[in-house]
Amino acid sequence: MSVARPLPHDAAPLHVTGAARYVDDIPAPANALHLAFGLATIARGRIAGMDLDAVRAAPGVRDVLTAYDLPFDNDVSPSLHDEPLLSDGTIHYLGQPLFLVIADSHLAARRAARMGVISYEEETPLLTIEEALAADSRFEEGPRIYQSGDTDAAIKDAPHRIEGRMELGGQEHFYLEGQAALVLPQDNGDVVVHSSTQHPSEIQHKVADALGLPMHGVRVETRRMGGGFGGKESQGNALACACAVAAARTGRPCRMRYDRDDDMVITGKRHDFRIDYRAGFDDDGRLLGIEFTQYVRCGWAQDLSLPVADRAMLHADNAYHLPNARIVSHRMKTNTQSATAFRGFGGPQGMVGIERVMDHVAHTLGRDPFEVRRANFYADRATRSAPQRTPYGQTVEDGIINALTDDLATRADFAARRRAVDDWNAANPILKKGIALTPVKFGISFTLTHLNQAGALVHVYQDGSVQLNHGGTEMGQGLYQKVAQVAAARFGLPLGAVRITATDTGKVPNTSATAASSGSDLNGMAVKAACDTIRERMATCLAERHQAKPGEVIFEEGEVRIGGETLSFALAAKICYENRVSLSSTGFYKTPSLAWDRIKGEGRPFFYFAYGAAITEVVIDTLTGENRILRCDILHDVGSSLNPALDIGQIEGGYVQGAGWLTTEELVWDGKGRLTTHAPSTYKIPACSDRPRIFNVALYDNENAEETIYRSKAVGEPPLMLGISALMALSDAVAACGAGYPALDAPATPERILAAVQRVMGGT
Amino acid sequence: MAIKKHELSVEVNGRTVRAEVEPRMMLSDFLRHELGLTGTHVGCEHGVCGACNVMLNGRSARSCLTYAVQVDGAKIETVESLGTIDKLHPLQQAFWEKHGLQCGFCTPGMLISALELLEKNPKPTREEIVDHMSGNLCRCTGYQNIIDAVAYAAELMAEQANG
């Protein structure tokens, strides 16, 4: 059967020959026009005057649009309608699009976009969490609070108490393919949109509003993205709407892509956080009471910040049972890029908070951090008496973290390596090593419950070939391949008989973003439903001809067997066609059992949890703060894998991306709100020399307790949080330098490590 | 004011191309827009990510930092020159089989860098592979499978040379 096999990515032959087309590779008619935005050069204020004569006069420029030229809705927000495509006069951040240049070439448009003469009435921008707090600049009326038990009493009565504060930087997605869109005008005023987006239905919606059309006038197609990571969930709206407006105005195809610097300056990133914590615990490090106050820097527009901040609260427990917990979340509005979805969607920040607390507790007690973590784990499903509740009231039904981490510790020889690290540190004054094991428990489902639905469209042609379409998008994760494996398995066909076509709002409507790790869970089930409908119709037709029951018709190995007779699938399809059987079907799926009240913080937001754990070993140079990841061992739970090779790829990539976020990837804004790290020369994503020297990854054998597609589990986001072990290993190495607690903020750059070493040596 | 164009004659993937280009047109744009060779990708546009790598007179070069006029008289090979789906180069075969890609956007540049390495060093150690490939960024894979793919390609090429 085609599922569970480690098949390579379906488009691999196209990728290695350079034949795979991304949006900017799609040939457009020769009269296509190219667009670029003129950007604000201050972070907050009003436009006093905008002189665009030089822009209009620049070579190759056809037209220049401002907010006043937009025919319909001036908004590209995915949520609150607070994100004008072009500034309406107010400047919210440095990099905000002010005007749109339409030119004969990409270069001509970009050159001209720099020629605008803008005068401003400048105001003092709110750039930091502290500045926003002082001005009470926030989304929602006040903080959200989720809580369970009596936290204040539990902390007060505890034998030991700590308090602390942690700062956590954001992260640039750095999808290798920048944002891009192409709009082709059709007759009757309709448009076809090619967009590098994780959310074609939202592009359709926003383009329809921008053109004053019903959604049926807009068809969006997305074959693939060159990486998404959440950065293409809402951030492509602006380019698609700009192209649509320009195409409608000129009657010509319009395309737009952001140059890398523009991309980094204009688009949102991972939310940076400040987390304050207060905890009370016993002699074993068991947390009796804990309070987190999460301050979230959301940027200028709401975008997806509320669900991101919610998810951070929902992961403040990670894999630990917190009987008395209060989680407070402030969503601060600042004059910076509007922070957006990024793999993990707030979960990683919430998790770093509790891992920091575990580390701090262990240091306070002088115990091994892994022992403290283990003392706090949720009980396993196999060994517990009754399921425990999360701070938001969901019971943890499928717990495996104790068995999984024990297994990993054994495989990776953790105890002996812990001793070896301590011995090394005793013997070496300059280079210090650190090692840490951290767990991951990640909730799977969109917390906005209605998004947990998917559709599919499957056709069987009379030659027996199968065409498949679904609402999920391909960004490299291998979703198309996994879903094709499902379809092939349902029909008992070899994979080559199934062709997946580009995601298309004209084929499957009202799709959710390919996000929340849900792509194969949702779309795999929808495709299964569609395939099974057709299979049942075929079985009924064929059974009738052979005086058999439909249940006796077997589809396998490219053949259909009924009683003693065997037909090729192609012949079976031809017979069904000639007997006027419909060989096309939609399929639909909605995740069962979800009920969540985000205001109260109660219910079951997640269908199930995905688990994993990583051990990272590092070395630091205490004179410079330089560091290396020496080794990483991972054991990760993907349920019954649909494709182990693709899953391991997600795990390796997720770990490296997570470790990058917490170590080398530092976003720096200057005092004026200018992002100074707007290209890979200044913003350091991991290169292959940065990955662990030894990198062992294994899948944990664990069928999903819930009924998911072939009992698999989601894998997109959870492995990113395995990278937290790198930060905790660095903290461990720094702790070897003296008596003080490292209190290492993230990203743990060499500068931060060096400062922490000096703090620790000072014993504070 | 019309910008004066420059004449250019260059061998691209074994074919001689004559063209007139603006003096500031980048080689990456020339390949992608003028010749339709969109396998060469533009990632960061300032020479750091390596997605735009092509072979220029037998050495890898960043086509986003090279002006088209600079390659007058030169020999360029892009990813499209390596092999076809029916007849893949061992490097292409290896990246496919060893899962050396996810989104695929960095892949053409990776293949060109790997080709340069294996042409001058047919039996690289793992450290040499890592060292050579560190100039190409990938955001998806975590690099493990890319390194494995280059090592496997070296084996395949050695087999071909012997067989």
Side-chain angles (χ1 to χ4, degrees):
Chain A
M1 196 163 74
S2 57
V3 290
R5 286 173 55 202
L7 300 168
H9 197 283
D10 59 293
L14 300 181
H15 288 306
V16 296
T17 51
R21 276 185 190 166
Y22 301 84
V23 168
D24 201 47
D25 303 334
I26 296 170
N31 67 342
L33 296 171
H34 300 256
L35 315 184
F37 286 128
L39 306 179
T41 54
I42 65 161
R44 187 183 181 194
R46 302 271 316 161
I47 300 172
M50 193 147 61
D51 178 355
L52 302 178
D53 288 351
V55 184
R56 291 201 167 85
V61 172
R62 297 281 166 162
D63 208 346
V64 183
L65 309 187
T66 68
Y68 300 103
D69 302 310
L70 299 176
F72 292 96
D73 206 8
N74 180 17
D75 181 70
V76 293
S77 162
S79 55
L80 194 62
H81 210 276
D82 61 346
E83 212 171 316
L85 169 65
L86 299 173
S87 170
D88 56 9
T90 307
I91 309 279
H92 297 279
Y93 77 106
L94 198 156
Q96 183 179 347
L98 305 181
F99 61 90
L100 177 66
V101 183
I102 307 172
D104 289 336
S105 73
H106 173 72
L107 198 57
R110 285 201 70 221
R111 268 196 203 120
R114 298 289 189 271
M115 296 179 180
V117 180
I118 319 293
S119 54
Y120 302 99
E121 291 162 14
E122 213 166 334
E123 296 168 41
T124 307
L126 303 173
L127 301 176
T128 63
I129 285 165
E130 286 66 29
E131 286 165 1
L133 273 173
D136 197 34
S137 170
R138 62 174 70 236
F139 294 99
E140 299 190 304
E141 66 289 355
R144 274 283 136 256
I145 301 172
Y146 296 167
Q147 56 190 329
S148 64
D150 187 344
T151 302
D152 288 330
I155 296 174
K156 186 165 155 284
D157 297 340
H160 308 277
R161 284 182 290 277
I162 53 165
E163 281 185 24
R165 169 173 294 182
M166 173 166 205
E167 291 191 353
L168 260 170
Q171 186 177 25
E172 163 62 34
H173 302 84
F174 210 88
Y175 25 68
L176 258 281
E177 176 215 22
Q179 306 276 348
L182 165 65
V183 170
L184 305 166
Q186 309 294 303
D187 63 5
N188 202 25
D190 292 357
V191 290
V192 170
V193 181
H194 294 274
S195 169
S196 182
T197 179
Q198 293 172 241
H199 201 346
S201 283
E202 180 132 279
I203 295 280
Q204 180 193 19
H205 181 186
K206 299 311 292 187
V207 165
D209 286 354
L211 296 181
L213 292 175
M215 285 171 78
H216 68 207
V218 180
R219 188 170 76 73
V220 180
E221 190 179 311
T222 300
R223 174 58 186 88
R224 64 172 58 81
M225 283 160 272
F229 314 114
K232 292 176 179 170
E233 191 166 340
S234 63
Q235 304 297 299
N237 295 356
L239 300 90
C241 289
C243 288
V245 167
R249 190 176 170 99
T250 61
R252 290 165 64 167
C254 287
R255 75 191 321 161
M256 184 175 201
R257 68 176 178 84
Y258 289 159
D259 166 83
R260 179 62 58 179
D261 300 80
D262 286 353
D263 199 312
M264 290 184 73
V265 166
I266 295 170
T267 65
K269 305 161 200 326
R270 188 187 292 285
H271 292 69
D272 40 51
F273 272 55
R274 186 182 107 195
I275 302 176
D276 294 355
Y277 57 90
R278 221 161 48 89
F281 49 97
D282 67 15
D283 294 343
D284 295 325
R286 196 171 290 111
L287 286 175
L288 304 173
I290 177 133
E291 180 180 73
F292 284 110
T293 309
Q294 301 175 341
Y295 300 91
V296 187
R297 194 170 71 141
C298 301
W300 70 283
Q302 185 171 294
D303 189 71
L304 304 168
S305 290
L306 302 189
V308 166
D310 288 355
R311 189 170 276 268
M313 299 171 79
L314 294 172
H315 288 79
D317 60 336
N318 192 10
Y320 309 106
H321 181 227
L322 308 175
N324 300 291
R326 184 190 298 123
I327 300 140
V328 181
S329 171
H330 296 265
R331 292 89 195 264
M332 309 317 297
K333 185 175 181 177
T334 53
N335 297 111
T336 47
Q337 288 79 0
S338 181
T340 191
F342 195 140
R343 199 177 196 175
F345 205 72
Q349 294 94 320
M351 247 182 234
V352 168
I354 187 73
E355 293 306 330
R356 163 65 168 272
V357 168
M358 291 293 155
D359 193 57
H360 197 168
V361 166
H363 191 269
T364 305
L365 294 173
R367 300 186 76 117
D368 176 1
F370 181 43
E371 275 176 41
V372 169
R373 290 187 165 96
R374 202 166 4 200
N376 285 285
F377 279 154
Y378 284 110
D380 282 1
R381 181 175 179 226
T383 54
R384 60 147 193 251
S385 46
Q388 294 157 319
R389 283 183 188 279
T390 63
Y392 48 91
Q394 174 162 355
T395 54
V396 180
E397 302 282 350
D398 55 8
I400 52 167
I401 199 64
N402 297 274
L404 187 150
T405 49
D406 285 348
D407 190 345
L408 175 65
T410 307
R411 287 172 191 240
D413 207 10
F414 182 66
R417 286 172 55 208
R418 167 82 267 173
R419 286 192 298 276
V421 163
D422 293 339
D423 292 347
W424 167 280
N425 288 337
N428 291 276
I430 305 299
L431 297 180
K432 296 289 185 187
K433 289 186 178 179
I435 189 166
L437 186 159
T438 61
V440 171
K441 165 184 137 289
F442 191 78
I444 302 299
S445 290
F446 286 99
T447 58
L448 189 53
T449 301
H450 79 256
L451 298 178
N452 296 289
Q453 58 172 311
L457 177 65
V458 175
H459 305 314
V460 174
Y461 292 96
Q462 50 188 303
D463 65 353
S465 65
V466 178
Q467 195 191 75
L468 172 58
N469 197 276
H470 57 83
T473 55
E474 177 64 47
M475 59 197 98
Q477 81 278 44
L479 173 64
Y480 278 20
Q481 178 71 307
K482 281 187 173 180
V483 173
Q485 287 177 261
V486 169
R490 301 317 292 173
F491 289 119
L493 285 170
L495 203 59
V498 179
R499 172 64 52 89
I500 296 212
T501 53
T503 313
D504 186 333
T505 58
K507 288 186 178 171
V508 176
N510 307 320
T511 58
S512 295
T514 308
S517 306
S518 66
S520 49
D521 278 16
L522 296 177
N523 295 291
M525 284 300 239
V527 163
K528 174 175 176 284
C531 293
D532 288 356
T533 299
I534 297 172
R535 197 174 69 171
E536 277 163 36
R537 288 184 198 144
M538 291 177 74
T540 303
C541 168
L542 297 168
E544 210 169 276
R545 289 165 53 88
H546 288 80
Q547 284 88 44
K549 290 179 186 153
E552 293 163 8
V553 182
I554 309 294
F555 294 77
E556 62 183 21
E557 292 171 350
E559 293 174 341
V560 183
R561 289 195 265 280
I562 320 146
E565 199 184 345
T566 299
L567 309 171
S568 69
F569 185 82
L571 182 56
K574 184 162 178 284
I575 290 167
C576 290
Y577 163 68
E578 286 168 354
N579 282 276
R580 297 190 293 175
V581 172
S582 166
L583 293 175
S584 173
S585 177
T586 58
F588 185 78
Y589 175 74
K590 56 182 177 180
T591 313
S593 315
L594 302 176
W596 170 240
D597 182 334
R598 71 168 283 271
I599 303 301
K600 287 187 189 158
E602 280 175 17
R604 180 178 180 181
F606 303 124
F607 189 31
Y608 63 89
F609 296 100
Y611 297 88
I615 296 171
T616 298
E617 185 175 342
V618 299
V619 61
I620 63 170
D621 181 333
T622 56
L623 299 179
T624 63
E626 288 170 285
N627 57 87
R628 289 275 182 277
I629 296 178
L630 299 173
R631 175 172 168 179
C632 173
D633 296 81
I634 290 171
L635 190 55
H636 195 81
D637 159 38
V638 296
S640 296
S641 176
L642 286 174
N643 181 322
L646 293 174
D647 286 345
I648 286 175
Q650 287 295 299
I651 294 165
E652 290 172 351
Y655 171 85
V656 169
Q657 196 171 61
W661 166 47
L662 296 169
T663 57
T664 62
E665 298 186 34
E666 186 177 36
L667 291 163
V668 178
W669 285 265
D670 70 11
K672 296 277 192 188
R674 183 186 312 275
L675 179 68
T676 59
T677 48
H678 51 76
S681 47
T682 44
Y683 181 78
K684 183 78 182 78
I685 74 165
C688 71
S689 46
D690 297 314
R691 90 201 190 294
R693 296 290 191 276
I694 303 169
F695 199 0
N696 301 314
V697 177
L699 301 179
Y700 187 68
D701 187 15
N702 177 47
E703 179 177 285
N704 196 337
E706 299 293 344
E707 201 174 313
T708 52
I709 186 75
Y710 291 99
R711 298 276 175 183
S712 61
K713 284 193 179 184
V715 70
E717 292 163 293
L720 181 123
M721 286 149 273
L722 299 167
I724 297 171
S725 60
L727 179 67
M728 293 301 140
L730 288 166
S731 176
D732 188 55
V734 174
C737 298
Y741 179 62
L744 189 58
D745 287 337
T749 56
E751 292 92 326
R752 281 221 174 86
I753 290 172
L754 190 58
V757 165
Q758 285 161 359
R759 266 200 308 279
V760 163
M761 290 170 95
T764 55
Chain B
M1 187 185 73
I3 297 167
K4 184 175 175 286
K5 293 195 171 183
H6 288 245
E7 278 188 24
L8 164 70
S9 173
V10 57
E11 187 189 318
V12 179
N13 298 341
R15 194 167 61 91
T16 301
V17 176
R18 284 181 228 291
E20 286 196 335
V21 298
E22 289 184 16
R24 294 180 70 85
M25 175 179 275
M26 304 315 301
L27 175 58
S28 52
D29 288 343
F30 177 70
L31 293 170
R32 290 176 53 79
H33 301 153
E34 305 299 312
L35 305 187
L37 295 171
T38 53
T40 298
H41 296 151
V42 171
C44 71
E45 298 182 64
H46 71 237
V48 177
C49 79
C52 69
N53 273 10
V54 297
M55 292 295 257
L56 169 56
N57 293 333
R59 293 191 61 188
S60 74
R62 308 292 209 208
S63 65
C64 78
L65 290 186
T66 309
Y67 290 116
V69 293
Q70 286 176 275
V71 301
D72 187 22
K75 189 178 163 191
I76 303 282
E77 290 159 285
T78 69
V79 66
E80 286 92 346
S81 74
L82 280 179
T84 60
I85 288 181
D86 303 331
K87 199 178 175 199
L88 291 173
H89 186 279
L91 263 168
Q92 295 172 309
Q93 189 69 38
F95 270 70
W96 181 358
E97 278 183 43
K98 294 290 177 184
H99 311 274
L101 58 91
Q102 287 180 27
C103 86
F105 201 82
C106 72
T107 308
M110 289 282 178
L111 291 171
I112 294 293
S113 288
L115 181 69
E116 179 183 45
L117 171 68
L118 297 185
E119 280 184 353
K120 69 180 181 193
N121 180 2
K123 286 185 184 174
T125 64
R126 246 181 126 73
E127 279 306 306
E128 286 168 336
I129 294 173
V130 170
D131 188 44
H132 189 86
M133 301 302 289
S134 285
N136 288 69
L137 296 176
C138 166
R139 190 55 152 165
C140 298
T141 63
Y143 301 102
Q144 195 73 352
N145 291 341
I146 290 175
I147 297 162
D148 289 346
V150 177
Y152 181 53
E155 286 175 31
L156 291 178
M157 286 165 82
E159 277 171 28
Q160 269 188 4
N162 296 334

